[in-house]
Amino acid sequence: MFQKGLKGVIAVQTKIASVDGDKGELKYRGLLVDQAVEGKTFEETAFFLWNGAWPEKDELHALVEELKKERILPVHVTAIAELLPADVSIMDNLRTLVSAFSSREFGLRSPKGQALALTAALPVMAAMLYRHKHGLKPVEARQDLGHTANFLWMLNGQEPLNVHIEALDTYLKLTMEHGMNASTFAARVTVSTESDMVAAITSALGTMKGPLHGGAPSGVIDLLEEIQTPDRIESVIRTKLEHGEKIMGFGHRIYRTEDPRSIILRKKCLALQGEDEWLDLATAAETEIIRLLNLHKPGRALHTNVEFYAAAIMRSIDMPPELFTPSFSIARIVGWTAHVLEQQSDNVIFRPQSEYIGN
């Protein structure tokens, strides 16, 4: 059977996550995603995806401390980072630094140890590369900050606001895993050859770089910046609809109902209401945009997707567009590594057939 792009073809059985687009459900290890992320830290959710169980108190403490320790990059990785050209994209340079972890010493670690080390290192490297690109000195990691807060600290060397930590942490937890997406498939295909964790994550980063997969939600940011204030929402959206323009951040390739991740991000933004003007604008804009879409396109039921609130969060913390896809990768590496571990536990090499249609 030929299916272009393998759409609808089941190639993997997994216990990590499931996506039901018709029901609008995303589950992590059998739990609806809201139950798997609300009230949990980045570190707790990562442990759950890796292990299939929530950490005990001592296990969580050990994980947090190990992640902090792994923020100190290998000397040769830091040296390579300083030599990389500043005019190359952060994603390209990030892929190079991850591949540099392939030392004999790193290869002697357990697969879970490698997963943890790469998860801890990715935000450190992204922040370092961003500052290098703009001629800024790197900022030292802080041992008193959690995973998300330390990333924000290393980007600009300023004490991160709690509202921004909470918003970004929620986004990162919600985008850790999303079934058999392109980058996750790439990671599993790579490791199915009995290659290693580093090669698999390098493959995933190369796949995530593509605009059809890890493309930045810059269109939504452009929309919010055009609106500027709540009193302009209706006029801006009506004008766009009258000119046949697409309203960015609405509709999803998989979900036929509301994206469950957008529901959680909306709740978080509402809980933080009054603490950040961009989060406030996003919640007000969503309500009005849905109303106008229903009037303009009755029966189509276009729902908010995760990119809408992701864009609002990125704009609120002044995250530059060049860091959107690296930030997405900082979350998704948890899912990638979980899938690599699962593939290694019951491996068969991927070897689909091709159909020759030449002369």
Side-chain angles (χ1 to χ4, degrees):
M1 180 187 75
F2 168 64
Q3 183 62 52
K4 194 171 185 179
L6 301 180
K7 184 177 181 180
V9 176
I10 297 173
V12 167
Q13 290 183 317
T14 181
K15 295 180 179 180
I16 299 169
S18 61
V19 184
D20 189 322
D22 294 327
K23 292 182 180 179
E25 286 184 353
L26 169 62
K27 292 182 178 180
Y28 286 1
R29 297 280 187 181
L31 281 182
L32 288 171
V33 70
D34 59 337
Q35 299 170 21
V37 305
E38 288 189 0
K40 303 293 192 300
T41 62
F42 178 99
E43 292 86 346
E44 287 175 298
T45 307
F47 186 99
F48 181 63
L49 281 173
W50 284 329
N51 297 284
W54 294 106
E56 299 292 337
K57 186 175 181 180
D58 59 335
E59 291 176 316
L60 179 59
H61 176 76
L63 173 64
V64 168
E65 292 306 307
E66 192 66 22
L67 285 168
K68 288 179 179 179
K69 187 176 78 173
E70 297 295 349
R71 291 173 187 169
I72 302 172
L73 303 179
V75 174
H76 72 278
V77 173
T78 303
I80 292 170
E82 293 171 353
L83 296 173
L84 290 172
D87 61 348
V88 174
S89 78
I90 293 172
M91 284 298 289
D92 283 324
N93 283 338
L94 200 56
R95 184 181 57 196
T96 299
L97 292 187
V98 167
S99 67
F101 273 77
S102 288
S103 66
R104 182 178 179 279
E105 180 186 357
F106 191 80
L108 293 174
R109 298 187 185 205
S110 70
K112 280 188 178 178
Q114 293 179 23
L116 188 152
L118 291 172
T119 299
L122 206 66
V124 174
M125 293 187 294
M128 179 188 296
L129 290 169
Y130 169 72
R131 293 184 68 83
H132 173 66
K133 188 177 180 69
H134 294 279
L136 301 170
K137 292 182 179 180
V139 173
E140 292 272 335
R142 277 176 49 183
Q143 297 300 303
D144 62 320
L145 295 176
H147 190 78
T148 303
N150 184 67
F151 175 50
L152 290 173
W153 160 257
M154 292 191 72
L155 282 176
N156 54 35
Q158 296 176 1
E159 193 72 32
L161 299 175
N162 285 335
V163 61
H164 294 158
I165 297 170
E166 282 191 49
L168 182 60
D169 198 63
T170 302
Y171 166 73
L172 294 179
K173 290 180 294 186
L174 289 171
T175 50
M176 281 182 177
E177 168 61 13
H178 204 245
M180 198 48 53
N181 54 83
S183 56
T184 298
F185 184 55
R188 290 192 77 134
V189 169
T190 298
V191 83
S192 80
T193 68
E194 295 191 354
S195 189
D196 52 61
M197 177 76 73
V198 170
I201 302 308
T202 303
S203 295
L205 284 166
T207 307
M208 178 68 90
K209 178 191 167 188
L212 293 183
H213 182 28
S218 53
V220 182
I221 288 183
D222 292 341
L223 175 65
L224 292 174
E225 290 188 338
E226 184 176 351
I227 292 172
Q228 291 185 337
T229 56
D231 60 291
R232 286 173 42 82
I233 297 171
E234 182 174 1
S235 62
V236 170
I237 300 304
R238 280 193 181 278
T239 300
K240 288 185 177 298
L241 291 173
E242 288 166 2
H243 287 84
E245 294 181 39
K246 183 179 179 181
I247 307 301
M248 302 302 292
F250 292 81
H252 194 278
R253 181 179 177 182
I254 293 176
Y255 294 112
R256 297 293 172 261
T257 59
E258 193 166 11
D259 186 331
R261 298 167 299 176
S262 71
I263 297 171
I264 299 168
L265 285 175
R266 180 195 305 120
K267 285 174 63 178
K268 175 57 66 175
C269 290
L270 287 170
L272 297 171
Q273 200 156 28
E275 295 190 46
D276 185 276
E277 61 180 343
W278 288 100
L279 300 182
D280 291 350
L281 178 61
T283 54
E286 182 200 26
T287 302
E288 185 63 11
I289 290 170
I290 291 291
R291 184 184 75 81
L292 293 171
L293 283 172
N294 287 335
L295 288 174
H296 191 79
K297 301 178 180 182
R300 279 203 60 185
L302 287 172
H303 299 284
T304 319
N305 61 43
V306 72
E307 278 197 355
F308 181 82
Y309 279 107
I313 289 168
M314 297 302 186
R315 182 62 185 83
S316 74
I317 60 180
D318 290 325
M319 183 77 76
E322 63 193 320
L323 278 168
F324 290 172
T325 308
S327 298
F328 190 0
S329 302
I330 287 165
R332 188 57 58 85
I333 193 173
V334 176
W336 293 336
T337 50
H339 277 272
V340 169
L341 293 170
E342 187 176 64
Q343 184 70 33
Q344 289 174 327
S345 70
D346 184 22
N347 186 53
V348 175
I349 189 172
F350 285 90
R351 184 62 173 86
Q353 297 295 312
S354 60
E355 179 181 7
Y356 179 69
I357 59 171
N359 295 328

